[in-house]
Amino acid sequence: MHFYCVFGNPILHSKSPILHNYVFYKLNINARYCKHLLNSDNNFKNIFLEYGYKGANITLPFKESIINYCDEIHGIANEIGAINTIIKNNNKLIGYNTDASGFYKCIENYDIKNALIIGAGGSAKAIAFILKNKGINTAITNRSISRLEFFKSKDFQCINIFELENIAKEIKFDLIINATSSSLKKELPLKLELLKKLFLNTKVAFDLVYGSCEFLELAKQYKLIAIDGSKMLLYQAIYASSLFLNKPYKTIANTMQEVFDVAFNA
Ligand code: NDP
């Protein structure tokens, strides 16, 4: 039997085992996926190898630190500097980032030419690089200016909140993404008046949290397409599972979608 897990802290809330174990069951694969609470990333590679895992997902707060324990980094994870998926191959840990492609899958059918990301943490980085790679002009704003430095160094347009207030009426973003954790605290990521001005010229609003939140409720008042983070969770898990099992995206997608609909509508 092969073992997989999701490493994080806290980890009790994670729905990843439901998604991955259902795929193993339906595709007749002798494997199990569990939650692994990690107190620190010290000695991560030894922990991974001692437990005999074949693959794993990495969640908060380790996505940026555990990349340092990988022997190889593949794809867009190199630019982002963060991973959420690891595969063991010949005792080497190979790191990937499927958050980025999972996010893009949610918006790929909309006509998006430019985007504003609110937030400058790990998930903002994943989203910024996938949008850039897809040719979408991407600007970043954040509550604290210091975190914008990383994005400036990567040639993204960075707008501090004071500038944004001055230009909000004139600028137009097809897509605005709340990549902050504000919605978890039932707060808006920017002042209400500022968001109202921005939403006047926007088509799609995206919030990374699962389910409804004030940011998306406001977007709906402005008749925007409002997308929450639950599908991003699903799509990143499908990409991760296809890496774990070396199977095409489509094979995993049909199966994982079934259990996702049950788990998220429960
Ligand atoms: P980080 O901790 O790396 O970054 C948090 C960001 O949120 C910072 O830019 C911070 O600003 C900003 N922020 C926090 N609180 C507020 C607030 N009240 N008002 C304005 N800005 C605020 O987090 P991540 O990037 O890893 O994750 C962000 C969110 O995305 C989390 O809620 C996480 O659960 C969710 N997520 C969802 C995924 C999915 O699959 N749907 C995948 C990954 C993440 P500052 O720099 O000023 O502190």
Side-chain angles (χ1 to χ4, degrees):
M1 179 176 302
H2 291 136
F3 290 99
Y4 298 83
C5 76
V6 52
F7 289 101
N9 191 345
I11 201 61
L12 208 60
H13 65 285
S14 174
K15 294 204 191 236
S16 294
I18 301 173
L19 301 177
H20 288 280
N21 282 323
Y22 187 75
V23 171
F24 299 153
Y25 164 72
K26 287 292 270 197
L27 301 187
N28 232 346
I29 290 161
N30 192 18
R32 291 290 180 275
Y33 185 110
C34 60
K35 299 173 193 177
H36 193 134
L37 178 72
L38 208 56
N39 289 321
S40 97
D41 59 50
N42 282 345
N43 224 5
F44 174 78
K45 188 170 177 182
N46 286 345
I47 295 172
F48 188 102
L49 296 176
E50 271 169 26
Y51 275 79
Y53 291 124
K54 191 160 189 272
N57 288 120
I58 310 295
T59 190
L60 297 175
F62 299 114
K63 290 182 186 184
E64 286 174 272
S65 59
I66 283 182
I67 195 169
N68 299 315
Y69 294 86
C70 292
D71 300 294
E72 286 174 29
I73 315 292
H74 283 199
I76 197 168
N78 283 298
E79 292 168 84
I80 299 166
I83 52 152
N84 73 328
T85 302
I86 290 183
I87 311 280
K88 187 179 82 174
N89 197 353
N90 294 330
N91 269 5
K92 279 186 175 174
L93 302 193
I94 321 288
Y96 300 82
N97 190 306
T98 70
D99 281 335
S101 36
F103 166 79
Y104 189 70
K105 191 94 191 141
C106 299
I107 57 134
E108 67 182 357
N109 293 327
Y110 301 106
D111 181 24
I112 307 289
K113 298 206 168 44
N114 56 13
L116 174 70
I117 301 173
I118 311 168
S123 51
K125 287 180 188 168
I127 292 170
F129 282 105
I130 193 81
L131 289 175
K132 188 181 194 183
N133 288 2
K134 298 289 180 184
I136 295 171
N137 281 328
T138 304
I140 328 282
T141 191
N142 192 48
R143 184 176 61 177
S144 56
I145 295 172
S146 59
R147 270 179 125 165
L148 290 175
E149 288 306 319
F150 169 85
F151 293 91
K152 268 190 203 156
S153 73
K154 303 290 176 186
D155 289 334
F156 284 99
Q157 184 192 359
C158 293
I159 311 175
N160 72 46
I161 290 178
F162 304 108
E163 279 174 312
L164 194 59
E165 277 172 347
N166 288 334
I167 57 173
K169 272 192 180 157
E170 300 120 52
I171 43 174
K172 175 184 173 305
F173 295 105
D174 294 330
L175 167 67
I176 299 185
I177 304 131
N178 180 13
T180 77
S181 38
S182 69
S183 293
L184 290 178
K185 304 169 214 161
K186 305 210 179 311
E187 291 169 8
L188 288 169
L190 297 173
K191 281 187 198 153
L192 177 64
E193 289 312 313
L194 176 54
L195 273 179
K196 283 181 174 175
K197 280 183 207 157
L198 292 169
F199 279 171
L200 281 172
N201 286 317
T202 303
K203 286 190 223 166
V204 182
F206 192 105
D207 197 304
L208 265 68
V209 299
Y210 315 140
S212 76
C213 61
E214 282 182 52
F215 179 79
L216 294 181
E217 288 309 313
L218 183 68
K220 285 181 200 163
Q221 287 174 26
Y222 283 75
K223 310 272 183 254
L224 308 189
I225 296 160
I227 309 173
D228 76 81
S230 52
K231 281 286 165 72
M232 179 174 166
L233 171 79
L234 169 67
Y235 296 141
Q236 65 75 26
I238 297 171
Y239 283 114
S241 182
S242 21
L243 288 168
F244 291 157
L245 305 177
N246 198 19
K247 289 192 183 294
Y249 179 91
K250 261 199 163 172
T251 310
I252 308 289
N254 294 338
T255 309
M256 209 180 260
Q257 180 80 57
E258 281 172 25
V259 68
F260 176 83
D261 290 340
V262 176
F264 273 86
N265 295 323

